[in-house]
Amino acid sequence: MDRIPILQMGKFLLVTIQVDLYDRLALNLESDLVQMVSKTGARGVLIDISALSIVDSFMGRIIGNIGSMSKIMDAETVVVGMQPAVAITLVELGLELKGVNTALNVERGMALLNKKIGSSGDGDNQEDQQDDTGTE
């Protein structure tokens, strides 16, 4: 059974979709991502779709579902690398992608996740700053 790799980077999960998604693979990704959010306690999910030239209504719905499910599980979702044709298609299809944030590229997506997670007041940033100064 084909799977798309999900990488953990600190409190975030990273997914880079490098192949055309067929329905079964998309459903597996949706299920695997929700399981990984639960298993790791991830606070953010970044999905890179820059290799996709086509996103149909089913794929748009799957991306929206991932965002909604992750939000319910206290994780933010950011989709990055959307090609203009994909954005046009999603708008023409009337898909809102509720619960999904978007950013132009991975760098901006990570910054957006850090900003959203950092504003939740979890205190991780304060610990990092103390470690850098040599205090405990």
Side-chain angles (χ1 to χ4, degrees):
M1 185 181 310
D2 292 333
R3 298 272 185 211
I4 294 178
I6 301 170
L7 307 174
Q8 184 175 7
M9 190 173 122
K11 52 191 169 191
F12 301 138
L13 298 176
L14 307 175
V15 178
T16 301
I17 302 171
Q18 297 292 317
V19 296
D20 287 331
L21 287 176
Y22 52 89
D23 292 355
R24 184 77 242 160
L25 186 59
L27 289 169
N28 287 343
L29 174 62
E30 178 185 86
S31 174
D32 291 349
L33 260 174
V34 173
Q35 292 294 326
M36 282 293 286
V37 169
S38 174
K39 179 180 172 184
T40 63
R43 301 291 317 279
V45 175
L46 188 137
I47 304 172
D48 178 10
I49 64 168
S50 59
L52 298 181
S53 58
I54 298 172
V55 173
D56 61 14
S57 62
F58 181 77
M59 286 309 310
R61 189 165 50 92
I62 292 293
I63 292 171
N65 288 349
I66 289 170
S68 297
M69 291 175 193
S70 296
K71 187 74 173 178
I72 289 171
M73 298 180 74
D74 195 26
E76 298 287 337
T77 300
V78 176
V79 172
V80 301
M82 188 177 300
Q83 295 185 20
V86 171
I88 291 167
T89 301
L90 291 175
V91 169
E92 287 178 349
L93 291 172
L95 297 173
E96 294 183 30
L97 302 180
K98 291 181 181 175
V100 175
N101 302 286
T102 58
L104 196 57
N105 55 40
V106 172
E107 183 177 2
R108 289 185 182 183
M110 291 301 289
L112 180 59
L113 279 176
N114 278 315
K115 181 179 174 184
K116 287 188 167 286
I117 302 305
S119 65
S120 67
D122 61 1
D124 286 349
N125 291 338
Q126 291 176 346
E127 291 175 13
D128 292 341
Q129 290 171 353
Q130 289 175 347
D131 290 341
D132 291 340
T133 61
T135 59
E136 295 184 36

